[in-house]
Amino acid sequence: MTGPLPFAVLISGRGSNMLALEQATRDGRINGSIVTVISDRADAPGLVEARRRGLATETALPAPGMDRAAFGRELSRHIEQSGARLIALAGFMRILDGGFVQGWRGRLLNIHPSLLPSHRGLHTHRRVLEAGDAVHGCTVHFVVEELDAGPAVIQGRLAVRPGDDEASLSARVQRLEHIIYPRAVGWFAAGRLTWREDTALFDGRPSGPEIVEESE
Ligand code: GRF
């Protein structure tokens, strides 16, 4: 271990997961600190709240004509300069190019609002309802080049109730997200969650995702 973990959080919107991570750095669940909050939208509401909490914030947008790879290189250089040793994607709505993902492989986490591998991509709550799924939830996973396909680290799980709609599922899933993301980053900071030869290890061993049930 090399001391508290400096990490970056990338957002595009409200940033409630970023705030949950920040809270966890304050109360000791994560031995680390957020060194930069980066948004690809200057008007992301999360930036305002991040500044209010004294966090450094930046907006990162591709310059006109800049392709995805060049943007990825610039973003990567920028994050390296911040001193971050981990990136937590938290509602970052831009697809990162392969070079970026390769460069940060094993140091790049994402939170996704479904029980992966079910329902990769967007509109997960709607798709859960349409499919008549009995369970739903959220997943923290390492990011690999294929979208929403990297190894799952921890999942929050809930039973879909009669009468649930997209809004109620979204609210319940987010409550679980705010529990599991700090836990995953806390493990990473403590050296319990590692990455070796393209495999996620927990306490040095490959393992399936930890499951947190809604009632916990
Ligand atoms: C979360 O539901 C997360 O799973 C998804 O984007 C949403 C971000 O919400 N990737 P917030 O900005 O953290 O409130």
Side-chain angles (χ1 to χ4, degrees):
M1 272 305 296
T2 50
L5 174 79
F7 64 102
V9 185
L10 271 55
I11 66 169
S12 298
R14 191 164 43 152
S16 70
N17 280 285
M18 175 270 297
L19 296 173
L21 291 169
E22 194 268 347
Q23 179 59 41
T25 64
R26 283 173 193 261
D27 64 28
R29 281 174 293 148
I30 297 173
N31 178 21
S33 60
I34 299 176
V35 288
T36 184
V37 175
I38 300 177
S39 171
D40 64 337
R41 283 184 40 197
D43 61 350
L47 286 177
V48 177
E49 192 55 36
R51 284 186 209 113
R52 196 172 287 149
R53 296 197 187 193
L55 298 176
T57 62
E58 302 164 78
T59 306
L61 278 170
M66 187 183 259
D67 66 19
R68 194 184 275 175
F71 176 66
R73 279 194 298 276
E74 191 161 302
L75 185 61
S76 187
R77 200 164 39 238
H78 206 72
I79 297 172
E80 294 280 3
Q81 277 166 7
S82 77
R85 290 195 278 115
L86 170 77
I87 300 173
L89 303 179
F92 190 64
M93 297 306 287
R94 192 172 287 268
I95 293 177
L96 295 160
D97 81 288
F100 184 95
V101 172
Q102 275 300 330
W104 285 91
R105 218 172 158 87
R107 302 178 296 156
L108 183 56
L109 293 173
N110 182 44
I111 185 146
H112 180 79
S114 79
L115 291 173
L116 291 172
S118 296
H119 306 298
R120 295 176 183 174
L122 297 173
H123 310 301
T124 57
H125 310 308
R126 187 190 312 163
R127 285 155 57 207
V128 159
L129 291 167
E130 283 168 1
D133 293 353
V135 290
H136 184 32
C138 44
T139 304
V140 176
H141 64 96
F142 279 104
V143 175
V144 298
E145 274 150 283
E146 194 183 341
L147 195 66
D148 299 329
V153 169
I154 183 169
Q155 295 186 308
R157 188 164 62 188
L158 56 79
V160 178
R161 297 176 187 145
D164 262 326
D165 56 16
E166 279 187 65
S168 68
L169 285 181
S170 164
R172 291 171 64 203
V173 165
Q174 279 235 307
R175 275 196 292 276
L176 283 168
E177 291 184 345
H178 301 162
I179 296 168
I180 68 170
Y181 214 175
R183 206 174 285 183
V185 174
W187 288 334
F188 190 95
R192 300 190 68 187
L193 175 64
T194 54
W195 178 268
R196 204 172 55 224
E197 291 164 7
D198 279 349
T199 307
L201 302 178
F202 191 72
D203 286 342
R205 276 176 234 102
S207 77
E210 169 131 335
I211 307 291
V212 174
E213 301 287 350
E214 186 181 42
S215 52
E216 265 184 42

